C-alpha cells in the first residue's frame, strides 16, 4: 500500500504515532510511505525508523525541487509546501498508480484495504466532506465551484496518481489561486475542491474522516452516533484544527483513542 505524507520536523513524533496506528490496524499489509518535504534531515527520517522498528513499513524521503514550483503564487498563508499534495503525481515515482494521502494528525483504527482499492474511474480523488448545506452553498459562491461539487477535507485523500500524472495542469491551479487569492481560507482544500470538484468521489466522513467536531454535529446527533459507535465503526480519527489530544488544552471525546495508540505495544 502506497501512503503519502507531507510535513516538517515539528510533526515527526506525531507521524510516528499515526504510522504505528496503521501497523496495528492493518497487520497483513506492507507500506511504502512517501514523505514529500523540503527540509527534513536524514536524522528526522531515522527517528521514525527507530521508533517503529518494523520491516513492514518503508520510508521514502522525497525532496521537492522548488524549481518545479517557480511560477507558483506564494504568500505567508500559502507557501510552496501547500502544493506538495496537490501536485504529488509530479513528484512520486512513475510506477505508482495510486496513493493514500494522510495528515500526520490522525490515527487509523480499521483495515484500509477496501478503501485503498476502491474503483476511482476517471476521478482524481476520493475524500470526505464535513460541511452541511449552508457551508456548501457558501463555499460554492466564495470559490465559484461547479454545481454539486463537494467541499472536501484534504487530510484523507485517495489519489488517482496515474490519471493526475497524465492530465493535471500546473498552470490551471496557479491561475485559480491568483484569481481567488483574497478569498482562500484553507488554501489547499479550497483549491482541490474548486479546481477538481467534478473529479472527486465523496466517502463517508463518519468512517474515513471522523473527528470531534463531526461527533458533536447535528448530523451526528440525528444519526445517534455514540463514542461506542465510533470505536466500532470509524476507520480514521482525524484530530484537525487546534484541538489536539496531545495538548493540555484538548477538549473532546475521541482523544482516548489517540492515547490508546500511544500506550499500545509496538506491533511486530
Amino acid at each position: 500500500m502506497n501512503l503519502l505524507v507531507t510535513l516538517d520536523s515539528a510533526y515527526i513524533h506525531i507521524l510516528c504515532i499515526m504510522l504505528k496506528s496503521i501497523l496495528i490496524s492493518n497487520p497483513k499489509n506492507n507500506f511504502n510511505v512517501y514523505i514529500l518535504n523540503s527540509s527534513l534531515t536524514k536524522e528526522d527520517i531515522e527517528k521514525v525508523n527507530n521508533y517503529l522498528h518494523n520491516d513492514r513499513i518503508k520510508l521514502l524521503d522525497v525532496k521537492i525541487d522548488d524549481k518545479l514550483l517557480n511560477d507558483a503564487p506564494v504568500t505567508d498563508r500559502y507557501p510552496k509546501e501547500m502544493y506538495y499534495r496537490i501536485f504529488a503525481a509530479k513528484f512520486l515515482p512513475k510506477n505508482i498508480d495510486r496513493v493514500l494521502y494522510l495528515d500526520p494528525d490522525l490515527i487509523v483504527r480499521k483495515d484500509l484495504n477496501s478503501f485503498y482499492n476502491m474503483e476511482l474511474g476517471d476521478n482524481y480523488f476520493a475524500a470526505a466532506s464535513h460541511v452541511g448545506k449552508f457551508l456548501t452553498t457558501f463555499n460554492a459562491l466564495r470559490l465559484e465551484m461547479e454545481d454539486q461539487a463537494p467541499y472536501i477535507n484534504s487530510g484523507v485523500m485517495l489519489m488517482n496518481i496515474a490519471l493526475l500524472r497524465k492530465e493535471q495542469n500546473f498552470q490551471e491551479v496557479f491561475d485559480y489561486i491568483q484569481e481567488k487569492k483574497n478569498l482562500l481560507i484553507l488554501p489547499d482544500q479550497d483549491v482541490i475542491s474548486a479546481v477538481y470538484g467534478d473529479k472527486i468521489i465523496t466517502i463517508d466522513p463518519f468512517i474515513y474522516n471522523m473527528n470531534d467536531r463531526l461527533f458533536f454535529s447535528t448530523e451526528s446527533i440525528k444519526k445517534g452516533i455514540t463514542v461506542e459507535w465510533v470505536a466500532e465503526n470509524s476507520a480514521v480519527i482525524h484530530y484537525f484544527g487546534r484541538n489536539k489530544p496531545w495538548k493540555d488544552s484538548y477538549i473532546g471525546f475521541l482523544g482516548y483513542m489517540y492515547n490508546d495508540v500511544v500506550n499500545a505495544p509496538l506491533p511486530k
Side-chain angles (χ1 to χ4, degrees), residues 70-84:
N70 277 346
D71 296 327
V74 295
T75 69
D76 290 341
R77 290 184 58 241
Y78 31 100
K80 282 189 178 181
E81 286 78 7
M82 179 192 77
Y83 297 97
Y84 294 174

Side-chain angles (χ1 to χ4, degrees), residues 165-181:
R165 187 183 295 117
K166 180 180 178 181
E167 297 182 355
Q168 193 172 38
N169 184 333
F170 276 37
Q171 195 58 48
E172 181 183 18
V173 173
F174 297 161
D175 290 346
Y176 180 83
I177 290 173
Q178 288 285 27
E179 180 185 351
K180 300 294 183 185
K181 59 185 178 182

Side-chain angles (χ1 to χ4, degrees), residues 171-211:
Q171 195 58 48
E172 181 183 18
V173 173
F174 297 161
D175 290 346
Y176 180 83
I177 290 173
Q178 288 285 27
E179 180 185 351
K180 300 294 183 185
K181 59 185 178 182
N182 295 324
L183 297 173
L184 300 180
I185 298 172
L186 299 169
D188 56 330
Q189 61 191 42
D190 280 356
V191 171
I192 292 170
S193 299
V195 178
Y196 303 120
D198 61 343
K199 291 283 191 176
I200 299 174
I201 299 173
T202 54
I203 57 176
D204 188 343
F206 290 93
I207 303 297
Y208 294 113
N209 208 323
M210 189 61 185
N211 55 84

Side-chain angles (χ1 to χ4, degrees), residues 207-225:
I207 303 297
Y208 294 113
N209 208 323
M210 189 61 185
N211 55 84
D212 280 300
R213 193 178 303 172
L214 183 60
F215 181 77
F216 287 111
S217 69
T218 301
E219 184 180 0
S220 181
I221 294 170
K222 288 180 178 178
K223 289 177 177 288
I225 301 296

Side-chain angles (χ1 to χ4, degrees), residues 128-139:
S129 176
H130 292 147
V131 299
K133 290 182 179 180
F134 173 78
L135 284 178
T136 297
T137 301
F138 171 75
N139 286 326

Side-chain angles (χ1 to χ4, degrees), residues 14 17-18 21 102-108 155-156 236-239:
I14 307 305
I17 303 303
M18 187 268 276
S21 76
L102 297 172
D103 274 350
D105 60 350
L106 59 78
I107 57 169
V108 176
V156 179
V236 178
I237 312 296
H238 189 188
Y239 303 102

Side-chain angles (χ1 to χ4, degrees), residues 1-245:
M1 189 179 292
N2 298 316
L3 304 180
L4 172 67
V5 296
T6 64
L7 73 160
D8 58 28
S9 59
Y11 262 67
I12 287 294
H13 181 66
I14 307 305
L15 174 64
C16 289
I17 303 303
M18 187 268 276
L19 294 177
K20 179 183 179 181
S21 76
I22 290 176
L23 289 170
I24 292 171
S25 56
N26 292 259
K28 297 181 180 179
N29 288 95
N30 294 326
F31 300 92
N32 289 326
V33 182
Y34 295 91
I35 306 175
L36 268 60
N37 71 94
S38 58
S39 61
L40 294 183
T41 65
K42 290 182 179 179
E43 289 75 19
D44 289 326
I45 304 298
E46 199 58 30
K47 285 178 183 177
V48 183
N49 274 321
N50 289 339
Y51 177 85
L52 297 172
H53 198 64
N54 195 297
D55 291 338
R56 289 198 291 121
I57 208 155
K58 183 178 182 181
L59 304 180
L60 298 132
D61 183 11
V62 182
K63 286 292 186 290
I64 304 303
D65 182 359
D66 279 346
K67 293 178 182 178
L68 294 174
L69 296 170
N70 277 346
D71 296 327
V74 295
T75 69
D76 290 341
R77 290 184 58 241
Y78 31 100
K80 282 189 178 181
E81 286 78 7
M82 179 192 77
Y83 297 97
Y84 294 174
R85 80 180 81 174
I86 299 175
F87 296 137
K90 303 295 184 182
F91 305 126
L92 294 173
K94 302 299 183 184
N95 62 330
I96 291 179
D97 62 355
R98 67 175 56 202
V99 71
L100 177 57
Y101 173 84
L102 297 172
D103 274 350
D105 60 350
L106 59 78
I107 57 169
V108 176
R109 290 179 50 84
K110 304 292 180 182
D111 187 283
L112 291 176
N113 283 283
S114 60
F115 175 37
Y116 183 81
N117 292 302
M118 70 178 288
E119 178 59 48
L120 289 171
D122 62 353
N123 294 286
Y124 294 154
F125 304 96
S129 176
H130 292 147
V131 299
K133 290 182 179 180
F134 173 78
L135 284 178
T136 297
T137 301
F138 171 75
N139 286 326
L141 292 171
R142 175 173 65 92
L143 302 171
E144 293 188 22
M145 294 169 58
E146 295 286 338
D147 291 343
Q148 307 303 316
Y151 184 85
I152 57 101
N153 179 281
S154 60
V156 179
M157 296 190 299
L158 184 63
M159 304 178 68
N160 190 342
I161 295 298
L163 192 59
L164 282 163
R165 187 183 295 117
K166 180 180 178 181
E167 297 182 355
Q168 193 172 38
N169 184 333
F170 276 37
Q171 195 58 48
E172 181 183 18
V173 173
F174 297 161
D175 290 346
Y176 180 83
I177 290 173
Q178 288 285 27
E179 180 185 351
K180 300 294 183 185
K181 59 185 178 182
N182 295 324
L183 297 173
L184 300 180
I185 298 172
L186 299 169
D188 56 330
Q189 61 191 42
D190 280 356
V191 171
I192 292 170
S193 299
V195 178
Y196 303 120
D198 61 343
K199 291 283 191 176
I200 299 174
I201 299 173
T202 54
I203 57 176
D204 188 343
F206 290 93
I207 303 297
Y208 294 113
N209 208 323
M210 189 61 185
N211 55 84
D212 280 300
R213 193 178 303 172
L214 183 60
F215 181 77
F216 287 111
S217 69
T218 301
E219 184 180 0
S220 181
I221 294 170
K222 288 180 178 178
K223 289 177 177 288
I225 301 296
T226 63
V227 173
E228 291 76 19
W229 186 96
V230 174
E232 181 67 26
N233 296 280
S234 296
V236 178
I237 312 296
H238 189 188
Y239 303 102
F240 64 81
R242 296 182 180 181
N243 195 31
K244 310 290 192 186

